Structure formats: structure tokens, C-alpha cells
Amino acid sequence: MQPVSEFKEQLLLTAGVSPERIVEFSCGHVIPPDHLLPLCLCKGPSGMQFDFSYHSRDSPGLMDELGRALANLCTVVPGGVVCFFPSYDYERRVHTHWTKTGALEKINRKKQVFREPKSASQVEAVLSQYSRCIEFNARNQSEGTTGALLLCVVGGKLSEGINFSDDLGRCVVMIGLPYPNIKSPELAEKIAYLNSTASRYPDGQLPGQVHYENLCMKAVNQSIGRSIRHARDYACIALLDYRYT
């Protein structure tokens, strides 16, 4: 999975393999270009900048803006919308805030909201309810709601190995950039080791920083890959954070 520059640099080039001997091969997507709509949303409906960095994401105003953006997406996107948060804790705080402000009620008028359970034993039940809700609304379009919204967590139980094909995932929303905990002792040691043993990249970046960035982007790729599961599928990918630009 992209990016692979770190793999080449740390495993092959440091072992003495010349760049001329490295050949990259990748295949194009199975869908035509017009079946995928990628969007980078730097601002919300009222013009507030989407900055979900650790020091800014707890702003009540930002949570309100996120609620308005999701409500708008739920209005225009048919079927299922899968929304990924950077952590369980942040998903809980946003959900609690939306409940207090009434934003959750507004979203529920368009799509019934489901949440990723912390218990693995409850995952199947939540997915079944989410799927049945979408199927019911597809058959009864006059009921007012247009499908369902599933709130998930990057690196959680629904970000890997789950198939949100067709109406189960017409839009995948990524909230912020899911950087791992930089204070983790294991990650800190890995970054320190790479910085002390590997060479800087041609653009001057430290190997440890590249590793940290790649962990984030691979998590993003893994999550948004839950949609578009066959050649006739189609979906929208919405990346909510100004840093994606």
C-alpha cells in the first residue's frame, strides 16, 4: 500500500541495492474515473477552517461546523455514509456535543446514526442494523430519511476488512489526519532509531518523520478503501481538514 518510499529507503537502499535495480509496478483502479469523487474540504458551510489537529479539535465551534457539514452531506448523498474519527475518545466527545446542541437530531432527520461499538461482540449487530436501515429507506423513499450514517474510528473494528460496497458506502468521510500517539514509547524509540541510523531523504526530511507521516497516510488509505469494492461501484471520498492540501 502506498506510500512505499519508506520501504525502499529503509530496506533496499540501505542494504546497498542500487536505485536502478528497483522496479515499481502498480495497477490502475478497476473503476472508471467518473465513479470516484474525491473532495478535500478545508472549510465548513459557514467558512470556518477545518483544523482537527490535537490542539484545535476540541473547539465547540469546530464541532458545530463539523455537524453542519455532515448534515449537508447526509442531505445530498443517498444510501450510507461512513464517517471515520481519529480516535474513540474524540468520537465520543463530538457525539456528546452534538446531542447537547441538537446537531445529532438534525442529522437523524436525514440519516439514522449508528456508532461503532467498543465491544467486538456487538460489531455484527450494528452492521446488520446499519444495512437493514439503508435497505428499508431505499424501498421507502417517502419516509423522509435517505439512509444511514455510521460513525467509525480509524484503526478500530470497522476500518479494516469490512466491505462497505454499493449503498453501504456511497460516501466515506475522513475527519482530520489520524496521526498515531507521538508519546508512545515504542513509536518514540522507532523514530529515534531511524533518525540515528538511516540517511536523510533527498528533500532533507528525517527518516523518523517520514515514518510518522506514512503511518498516518496508510491509516487513511486503509479506511477510505472500505468503499469501491467492485468494478461497477461508485462513491465520494471527503477529506475534512485543511492539512490535506
Side-chain angles (χ1 to χ4, degrees), residues 4-26:
V4 297
S5 58
E6 179 186 16
F7 175 80
K8 292 191 300 181
E9 190 74 28
Q10 296 175 15
L11 182 65
L12 301 175
L13 298 180
T14 56
V17 179
S18 63
E20 294 76 18
R21 294 183 58 194
I22 302 175
V23 179
E24 290 187 47
F25 176 78
S26 62

Side-chain angles (χ1 to χ4, degrees), residues 101-240:
T101 62
L104 189 64
E105 181 182 352
K106 292 180 180 179
I107 296 174
N108 263 311
R109 293 173 189 165
K110 284 298 178 182
K111 294 190 185 295
Q112 185 173 342
V113 179
F114 296 87
R115 302 173 69 189
E116 175 179 330
K118 285 193 174 182
S119 173
S121 62
Q122 298 176 332
V123 169
E124 192 64 34
V126 171
L127 288 176
S128 178
Q129 294 169 13
Y130 172 74
S131 177
R132 287 200 302 268
C133 179
I134 292 172
E135 292 174 359
F136 175 82
N137 282 286
R139 295 192 303 266
N140 303 273
Q141 296 182 4
S142 61
E143 295 294 324
T145 55
T146 61
L149 169 66
L150 182 59
L151 306 181
C152 307
V153 176
V154 175
K157 302 168 188 64
L158 302 180
S159 64
E160 299 180 15
I162 302 296
N163 186 349
F164 291 115
S165 62
D166 301 314
D167 278 351
L168 295 182
R170 287 306 181 203
C171 180
V172 176
V173 181
M174 179 64 63
I175 298 173
L177 286 146
Y179 283 104
N181 183 7
I182 192 67
K183 296 182 179 180
S184 163
E186 181 180 357
L187 178 58
E189 285 296 320
K190 178 71 177 289
I191 291 175
Y193 173 78
L194 291 174
N195 287 340
S196 63
T197 59
S199 303
R200 285 177 178 263
Y201 282 77
D203 60 1
Q205 283 187 298
L206 290 170
Q209 181 62 31
V210 172
H211 174 68
Y212 185 60
E213 297 278 349
N214 286 348
L215 286 175
C216 172
M217 295 315 300
K218 286 179 180 179
V220 171
N221 289 339
Q222 187 71 42
S223 298
I224 63 179
R226 298 309 90 212
S227 63
I228 308 289
R229 308 301 290 181
H230 58 82
R232 295 182 299 277
D233 210 351
Y234 61 91
C236 169
I237 307 296
L239 306 174
L240 273 60

Side-chain angles (χ1 to χ4, degrees), residues 50-54 57 62 66 90 175-177 240-241 243:
F50 278 142
D51 178 7
F52 292 100
S53 58
Y54 183 78
R57 64 189 186 186
L62 183 60
L66 174 59
Y90 190 57
I175 298 173
L177 286 146
L240 273 60
D241 200 299
R243 293 173 294 172

Side-chain angles (χ1 to χ4, degrees), residues 44-65:
S46 69
M48 175 179 286
Q49 180 172 264
F50 278 142
D51 178 7
F52 292 100
S53 58
Y54 183 78
H55 298 291
S56 303
R57 64 189 186 186
D58 286 333
S59 163
L62 183 60
M63 293 183 186
D64 291 338
E65 191 77 343

